[in-house]
Amino acid sequence: MAARPLIFNIQRFSTHDGPGIRTTVFFKGCPLRCAWCHNPESQSFSPQLMVDEDRCVSCGMCLAACPQGAIARGADGCVRTDRAYCVACGACVDFCPEDARELAGTPAPLAAELADRLLADRMFFERSGGGVTLSGGECLAQDIDYLEELCRTLHDEGVHVAIDTCGFAPRGHVERLLPYADLWLYDLKALDDEVHRRTTGVSNERILDNLAFLARSGAKIEIRVPVVHPVNDGEEAMCALAAYVTERVGTPRVSLLPYHTTGTGKYRRLGVDPGQEGFRAPSAEHMDRLVKLLAEQGLTDVELGG
Ligand code: SF4
Ligand code: SF4
């Protein structure tokens, strides 16, 4: 039987992850470590405790719930969690009256059960031209038997399926989902491999390889580019990216996604250092310039945000 992945969110009525009204399933775990990631809870393949210290009123209700003794009241009266002892069991979460505690990552239902849940919104999908998007983390890094069963079931039910991926996945996983995926939302971060390694932790070789394979296979592809200053927002870097896309993929829709800092609070709640100093969103004027630049390279179906 397929191993069940972890899920950290199922977002209904999404309008940003493909056409129409969609339900997006966020699987937990990603092989990349993008330095600008705004969903840091998506990176680890294990469950993680998130604690919102701004919400915590140090009532102490969670103290006795922890079997590891990881929660204690300090000399200043404040209640704190020692991450060194926390095993992310989640036992403390329901004891908090302020919703300051949250467990990121719960086992997904069986693929057939999840498909049933998703199909409950079929009416919205059909009326809006929407469907289901599998995202992450990196959905292709999950158990492929599970994903294939889920995608096949949705596809056989006539639901539009989009795969939101960073592309860093075994070719075999891509091949197995190919017959059931209606759309590939494909991230491209940097064509310069040195930049890619430095900012994501991996080479872009496999990513470009899988993208070229999908294009050769006739898959419908949308390219998504997180635009981060000073990583990849230079005109030269964007021209190189455009040239690669037009040569290997053709003229797909391209979404330029300006860097934003909404994930900063999540790093705090996970108890990890965001390490994002020095990144910033390009100005609106610069984003407009990049759109024009892509158009000059033949990529005229470009959207901002999304
Ligand atoms: S998640 Fe479990 S181990 Fe961690 S603080 Fe809560 S109760 Fe303790
Ligand atoms: S139960 Fe919630 S509000 Fe109370 S001390 Fe624990 S985390 Fe803080």
Side-chain angles (χ1 to χ4, degrees):
M1 199 194 349
R4 287 198 245 170
L6 291 179
I7 285 178
F8 71 93
N9 194 13
I10 295 180
Q11 190 177 344
R12 298 171 68 207
F13 306 118
S14 165
T15 53
H16 297 294
D17 301 310
I21 295 174
R22 312 191 69 82
T23 299
T24 304
V25 183
F26 292 91
F27 291 99
K28 186 159 161 49
C30 181
L32 272 59
R33 289 291 175 271
C34 299
W36 53 79
C37 181
H38 61 269
N39 278 329
E41 78 278 30
S42 73
Q43 293 183 341
S44 165
F45 286 86
S46 301
Q48 289 172 290
L49 178 70
M50 300 177 83
V51 182
D52 187 342
E53 291 184 352
D54 293 339
R55 279 176 174 259
C56 175
V57 294
S58 290
C59 68
M61 299 285 282
C62 54
L63 283 169
C66 180
Q68 304 295 317
I71 311 174
R73 192 181 293 282
D76 58 0
C78 293
V79 169
R80 295 201 181 81
T81 304
D82 188 336
R83 300 267 173 187
Y85 298 108
C86 174
V87 294
C89 69
C92 57
V93 170
D94 288 342
F95 284 83
C96 178
E98 304 294 329
D99 289 332
R101 294 178 169 264
E102 179 189 349
L103 193 68
T106 51
L110 292 171
E113 289 171 10
L114 178 55
D116 272 353
R117 263 173 73 180
L118 298 168
L119 285 166
D121 285 336
R122 184 205 293 262
M123 186 179 73
F124 299 105
F125 305 154
E126 287 174 354
R127 289 193 179 168
S128 66
V132 170
T133 299
L134 304 185
S135 184
E138 175 49 54
C139 63
L140 292 179
Q142 310 295 333
D143 184 278
I144 192 61
D145 291 334
Y146 182 97
L147 284 181
E148 187 180 27
E149 184 183 345
L150 180 61
C151 288
R152 188 177 53 238
T153 307
L154 293 168
H155 178 266
D156 290 352
E157 290 285 343
V159 172
H160 182 279
V161 177
I163 305 291
D164 179 13
T165 179
C166 71
F168 191 84
R171 172 66 58 80
H173 288 202
V174 178
E175 285 173 348
R176 283 181 60 182
L177 298 195
L178 190 55
Y180 312 114
D182 299 286
L183 174 65
W184 295 78
L185 301 169
Y186 207 98
D187 289 0
L188 265 193
K189 280 123 182 164
L191 274 197
D192 183 318
D193 199 33
E194 195 279 317
V195 172
H196 202 279
R197 283 174 191 268
R198 179 162 40 83
T199 55
T200 70
V202 302
S203 165
N204 62 15
E205 196 178 330
R206 188 188 297 191
I207 293 166
L208 297 178
D209 224 41
N210 280 332
L211 178 59
F213 166 75
L214 281 171
R216 284 197 306 277
S217 304
K220 184 166 169 51
I221 299 169
E222 280 186 29
I223 302 291
R224 300 185 141 197
V225 186
V227 187
V228 186
H229 179 83
V231 177
N232 64 352
D233 65 329
E235 296 193 4
E236 201 180 321
M238 206 51 76
C239 279
L241 189 138
Y244 182 89
V245 170
T246 49
E247 185 190 334
R248 301 297 177 96
V249 186
T251 53
R253 166 169 290 186
V254 177
S255 292
L256 297 182
L257 311 170
Y259 169 75
H260 57 80
T261 55
T262 54
T264 312
K266 292 185 183 180
Y267 283 91
R268 262 201 315 274
R269 281 185 272 150
L270 286 166
V272 299
D273 177 5
Q276 295 183 3
E277 292 85 10
F279 294 146
R280 59 180 171 77
S283 66
E285 294 72 31
H286 188 66
M287 292 302 295
D288 287 343
R289 256 204 313 281
L290 294 182
V291 172
K292 285 199 189 98
L293 202 67
L294 292 183
E296 285 162 17
Q297 306 287 317
L299 295 170
T300 50
D301 188 3
V302 178
E303 66 171 10
L304 285 180

